[in-house]
Amino acid sequence: MEIKFYNSLTNNLETFTPLIPNKVSMYVCGPTVYNYPHIGNMRPVVVFDTLRRFLSYVGYDVTYVSNFTDVDDKIIKEAKAEHKTEKELTEFYINEFLKVTKLIGSLPPTITPKVTEYMEKIIDYVDRLVKLDAAYVKDGDVYFRVSKIADYGSLSNINIDDLIVGARIEENTQKESPLDFALWKKTSEGIAWDSPWGKGRPGWHTECCVMIDSIFSQSQIDIHGGGYDLKFPHHENEIAQAEAMHHNKIARYWMHNGFINFGNEKMSKSLGNVIYAKDMINQYGGPVTRLVILSTHYRQPVNFTEDTIKTAMSEITRIQQAYKQGAILLQTNHIDLSLGQPKYIEKFLSYLSDDLNTSNALTEVFNIVKEVNQISRSKEIDLEKLNDLIKTLKDMFYVLGLDLSYPLLNEEDLSLLEAYNTARREKDYAKSDEIRALLINKGIL
RNA sequence: GGUUCUUUAGCCAAGCUGGUAAGGCAAUUGACUGCAACUCAAUGAUCGCUGGUUCGAAUCCGGCAAGAACCUCCA
């Protein structure tokens, strides 16, 4: 199957070919853990988890790495405010992040490195950049020398001159050029590590490079993902460092997800409309939250509104209902559910192979749902086909990370169902209503 | 100022290497039904505006309008 991705590096739809046949290496910038994850943090979590599931499903051996940034000014500040150590704070929020990630149906990445675990390697990496003359030391700080990189700005299409002229660039007399960025910062406050340049902590952009270098056995990986906002400067600077170190752009395919808006506004603290992921998920459930995200193509913005959430709720109910009823019908006919084949999944997969078009993939889910409903209501039920359809749905839900299931009926359930149907046939409605209540209670009807 | 992007039925949204518009939600009508839930069927848009290219454009090119994000640490 040919897989295509939109590569942010070239702004083109490109055929995906992994560096190593049948293996995929992907890295996605994870959160800085100083607060509860908000709903916007769930976009990359859902998008890249779906990508990973899809690639695995079609047969690739995927190594998916997503980090936790557990060293940062905001962390130091928040730890101080909460009277905790940085470690206590970050461990708490890492745990919160993991919880919410699971609730929204994302698998744990293959590896989730923390920056603090890579300090030695980070220092070594910075040191090597200094020795390569790609970085310079200034009074305990270490800065990357952007002028060393000929095509700096290639990812974000930023013209260096425009950047210097047009943008607000802070005064920093330490730097040779305003574009230079910190690899290592001298610090006097909060957690710090010893380094050849004195006590300090690493700059944000270096961490990801080091973790990629350390974890993957290759100097360049296949896919690098993250939020759109990270394109500049974060990813641009990762590329600059990799250019200096390995003369490559660190990743072949760069994928950036769009943002989540809330009620047509960007979520931000100053607007006071930040929604925590845990609140949204607790109120509406993981599948609904995930469906809102998947119903739009990953590069487009998603807007969470009362309407879009309500729509997703109706859709999940509809999908779940068909799945459940179909599976129950099979069980009452004593069909072995493990025997079905995902015969109708090809189109679904081909949609996903087209730059992860989840929106179109979902239309295939609805097509199958409709077929299940039609068959379930027909006079002569084609049980074999129904079984294949249910199995198809099952695999689709797996790939999309939608945590939907059907009840497995035991003997007692089966005889209850039969009694219910018999009572209805004999128009003994008092009895059938009684049994119906039982069945609804058990989640079967 | 620069960069990237968006504008498709009431709402969400796909299509955008050109050939008269997927899907879902909501709504209306009909069918099924002991009641309820579920379900099935039917019904709607010429694609922001405007030029151009073409036998033919939502899809390509130009202009205009409106909106969004990013431009040093926010996914």
Side-chain angles (χ1 to χ4, degrees), chain A residues 377-442:
Chain A
R377 298 306 168 94
S378 57
K379 286 257 182 328
E380 293 283 322
I381 296 174
D382 184 343
L383 290 168
E384 194 182 324
K385 181 165 186 188
L386 183 58
N387 202 5
D388 290 339
L389 289 168
I390 293 298
K391 178 69 170 130
T392 301
L393 279 180
K394 187 174 186 174
D395 283 18
M396 286 174 165
F397 298 157
Y398 170 77
V399 173
L400 295 175
L402 292 175
D403 183 19
L404 303 175
S405 56
Y406 49 73
L408 288 171
L409 307 183
N410 56 31
E411 287 306 317
E412 188 196 335
D413 298 331
L414 287 171
S415 49
L416 259 184
L417 260 175
E418 202 175 318
Y420 171 63
N421 287 325
T422 306
R424 288 182 64 199
R425 217 176 302 121
E426 291 168 356
K427 300 191 195 294
D428 184 352
Y429 298 123
K431 189 173 179 189
S432 76
D433 284 355
E434 193 182 311
I435 302 174
R436 178 164 71 187
L438 275 173
L439 289 168
I440 288 173
N441 209 0
K442 285 177 153 234

Side-chain angles (χ1 to χ4, degrees), chain A residues 98-318:
Chain A
L98 292 173
K99 273 201 287 197
V100 119
T101 297
K102 188 175 178 193
L103 285 173
I104 207 162
S106 290
L107 300 168
T110 319
I111 302 170
T112 47
K114 302 185 192 89
V115 174
T116 50
E117 293 166 349
Y118 285 80
M119 208 48 72
E120 224 172 284
K121 291 196 163 85
I122 290 171
I123 291 167
D124 181 58
Y125 189 94
V126 173
D127 192 43
R128 279 192 285 159
L129 284 177
V130 172
K131 284 175 180 149
L132 285 168
D133 203 35
Y136 53 94
V137 184
K138 259 287 170 60
D139 191 26
D141 290 343
V142 183
Y143 295 101
F144 188 88
R145 185 174 276 131
V146 168
S147 62
K148 271 283 190 184
I149 306 302
D151 62 345
Y152 184 79
S154 59
L155 175 67
S156 43
N157 262 324
I158 280 175
N159 182 305
I160 293 179
D161 298 331
D162 292 336
L163 200 60
I164 294 173
V165 175
R168 35 192 160 112
I169 289 173
E170 96 273 26
E171 288 292 319
N172 186 335
T173 49
Q174 298 280 65
K175 295 186 192 176
E176 289 177 4
S177 156
L179 290 174
D180 293 349
F181 54 91
L183 304 177
W184 188 266
K185 287 180 185 176
K186 178 176 68 178
T187 52
S188 53
E189 197 181 342
I191 193 165
W193 286 262
D194 287 316
S195 82
W197 320 285
K199 266 195 181 303
R201 56 181 185 76
W204 178 38
H205 311 306
T206 309
E207 305 160 2
C208 290
C209 286
V210 173
M211 289 187 278
I212 289 170
D213 266 21
S214 311
I215 292 168
F216 295 101
S217 53
Q218 56 213 96
S219 78
Q220 191 179 28
I221 59 171
D222 292 309
I223 299 170
H224 191 130
Y228 198 78
D229 58 326
L230 296 181
K231 241 176 143 175
F232 188 89
H234 184 52
H235 291 162
E236 200 69 72
N237 291 346
E238 277 186 52
I239 289 175
Q241 292 170 87
E243 282 283 4
M245 193 68 90
H246 301 299
H247 305 291
N248 67 36
K249 295 196 184 302
I250 207 167
R252 295 263 295 273
Y253 304 91
W254 288 80
M255 298 175 73
H256 292 100
N257 63 268
F259 266 42
I260 290 178
N261 296 325
F262 199 86
N264 273 318
E265 279 180 321
K266 182 189 171 176
M267 265 194 294
S268 74
K269 279 191 176 169
S270 56
L271 286 169
N273 61 351
V274 173
I275 307 293
Y276 290 139
K278 63 185 172 82
D279 296 337
M280 170 87 47
I281 292 169
N282 285 338
Q283 189 171 354
Y284 302 106
V288 167
T289 310
R290 189 165 176 119
L291 188 65
V292 175
I293 294 175
L294 291 178
S295 60
T296 301
H297 188 93
Y298 76 92
R299 285 190 278 123
Q300 296 307 124
V302 165
N303 198 9
F304 273 73
T305 64
E306 212 176 299
D307 269 0
T308 57
I309 295 167
K310 233 200 254 170
T311 298
M313 286 168 70
S314 304
E315 290 174 337
I316 285 289
T317 305
R318 175 179 161 80

Side-chain angles (χ1 to χ4, degrees), chain A residues 52-60 342 345 349 395-396 398-399:
Chain A
R52 179 258 193 109
R53 285 167 175 271
F54 166 65
L55 291 170
S56 300
Y57 187 83
V58 298
Y60 287 103
I345 204 168
L349 295 176
D395 283 18
M396 286 174 165
Y398 170 77
V399 173

Side-chain angles (χ1 to χ4, degrees), chain A residues 324-341 343-344 371-372 374-392:
Chain A
K324 190 161 98 176
Q325 289 182 349
I328 286 173
L329 198 54
L330 288 168
Q331 291 179 76
T332 54
N333 282 285
H334 309 287
I335 302 291
D336 186 346
L337 288 166
S338 65
L339 294 181
Q341 295 300 318
K343 277 189 188 166
Y344 307 96
E371 275 205 75
V372 166
Q374 285 168 336
I375 290 185
S376 299
R377 298 306 168 94
S378 57
K379 286 257 182 328
E380 293 283 322
I381 296 174
D382 184 343
L383 290 168
E384 194 182 324
K385 181 165 186 188
L386 183 58
N387 202 5
D388 290 339
L389 289 168
I390 293 298
K391 178 69 170 130
T392 301

